[in-house]
Amino acid sequence: MEYPVHGFFLNLLIILLSARMFAELAALARVPPVVGELMAGVVLGPTVLGWIEPSQTIRMLAEIGIILLLFEAGLETDIRQLARAGFKSSIVAVSGFALPFAFGFLVSYEVFERPLLESLFIGGTLTATSIGITIRVLTDLHQRHSHEAQLVLGAAVIDDILGVVLLAILYEFSIGGGISYMNAGRVLLFIAVFFLLAPIFAKLISLEIRRFDEFSQTPGLIPTTVVSLVLFFAWLSHEIGAPELLGGFAAGLALSRRFFLPFGLAVHAGTEFAERIDNQMRPIIYLFVPIFFVMVGLSLNLRTIDWTSPFIWVFSLSLIGTAIAGKLFSALFISERWVTRFAVGLAMIPRGEVGLIFAELGRTSNILSNEIYAALIIVIAFTTIFAPLLLKGYYHVLGSRLAAEPVRRQ
């Protein structure tokens, strides 16, 4: 049946305006805007009003939103921040990635006896920290440049990269219908080559974009060429067997103003040009990314879930416990004061966008049931909403000790 164009226009209008309205309400309530966009989808979808049923066109727009979301994450990645943060951030990142994954997998597979592939997706959903939410909270607290903030931000960047790689492996498992270590090894090899070569290639292309932009007679060259580059890398990423969003992340990483070519070839596109890319891409990102989060809410039908069943509550609370514990324990392995360790652990808790991407991939691959998917959404929403509140309370009570005491050496 031919899809009515006027109906699509009306649905898209409702999605965009609802996403903006709910995001503003969330911001007024001191809650991350992503939660508001998610709630907009829940209200518009079958859970509450049932006004909008996701069409294939809306799903494609949401897919572009995911790719641009990872492009933005790559664009904000500070390679030099990783070098400055150094060994301690690496410890926090690796342990903050491995512990929640292991805890989530074991709770799901051993305790609740869920299938292996489903348990891997559940563990993967608990891994990556939402760096955007963490940065926002630390900035609001005027702690953006504190010692613990530098540890957290360096760790969150590495955490995101590890999460993207894990997502690519789980994507391979999902399309293959099972676990193949040979295919996973092949994907890892392709990803390694892709991450080595793609940013270099994209950086060189950005230099050409800059050169053409200097004498272009028509406006819009930068967003047109950059979006084309992102879409090309998304296609290339799919061709090597990884999810398309990996290509978006690589393109954003290359176009970051802090990216340098390896082997001493410091070919710069210039800070001013990088800022122009950033400024001209923001409106496009802000247009498409909310569609993805609304889409997640539209895909969630909470009416079909038996909320009187003890399973959904016990399972959700168990995952919330493992999600929090995994991040808190990740800071125990660094040689810092306990107040600093606890602050770092709290700042690593929010899952936000990255967790939603994992959960959505598991749902669309028919690996996660509606009940398990809803439980994961509860976990993500809880950590996204309450972790910033806990962090603010922690700084209110112990912020003076964090600022006053010298760093203890071990």
Side-chain angles (χ1 to χ4, degrees), residues 51-259:
W51 285 358
I52 297 178
E53 183 177 341
S55 66
Q56 186 61 33
T57 308
I58 294 177
R59 293 184 189 276
M60 292 299 295
L61 293 177
E63 188 74 16
I64 295 174
I66 302 175
I67 295 170
L68 290 177
L69 177 65
L70 267 291
F71 169 77
E72 183 182 33
L75 202 64
E76 294 178 349
T77 297
D78 189 341
I79 299 298
R80 286 183 293 188
Q81 174 69 47
L82 299 184
R84 285 197 300 267
F87 184 63
K88 288 183 179 179
S89 283
S90 300
I91 292 176
V92 174
V94 173
S95 56
F97 171 83
L99 290 178
F101 177 74
F103 290 168
F105 172 78
L106 290 175
V107 166
S108 176
Y109 188 67
E110 297 291 344
V111 178
F112 290 93
E113 299 180 344
R114 306 303 301 178
L116 178 60
L117 192 54
E118 180 183 283
S119 299
L120 289 172
F121 265 93
I122 291 170
T125 304
L126 304 184
T127 56
T129 295
S130 174
I131 189 171
I133 294 172
T134 301
I135 290 175
R136 175 66 182 272
V137 174
L138 292 173
T139 301
D140 289 345
L141 294 170
H142 305 291
Q143 300 293 330
R144 175 68 175 79
H145 301 289
S146 65
H147 172 62
E148 61 274 11
Q150 299 309 305
L151 290 174
V152 169
L153 297 181
V157 170
I158 300 172
D159 205 53
D160 274 354
I161 294 174
L162 293 174
V164 170
V165 172
L166 177 62
L167 186 63
I169 295 174
L170 293 180
Y171 173 82
E172 166 64 25
F173 290 164
S174 68
I175 62 177
I179 296 175
S180 170
Y181 295 107
M182 181 175 295
N183 288 341
R186 176 181 59 83
V187 170
L188 274 178
L189 178 61
F190 286 163
I191 289 173
V193 174
F194 185 79
F195 265 123
L196 284 174
L197 299 182
I200 299 173
F201 180 58
K203 192 67 170 183
L204 294 174
I205 291 178
S206 72
L207 299 177
E208 292 299 312
I209 295 174
R210 180 190 182 188
R211 187 166 66 87
F212 281 110
D213 184 59
E214 290 175 353
F215 61 82
S216 174
Q217 300 299 311
T218 56
L221 176 70
I222 289 178
T224 300
T225 51
V226 170
V227 169
S228 299
L229 182 65
V230 171
L231 295 177
F232 170 72
F233 275 89
W235 170 82
L236 186 62
S237 177
H238 178 78
E239 289 298 302
I240 69 171
E244 292 86 350
L245 52 87
L246 181 66
F249 184 82
L253 183 68
L255 296 178
S256 167
R257 72 197 68 179
R258 306 172 184 90
F259 178 79

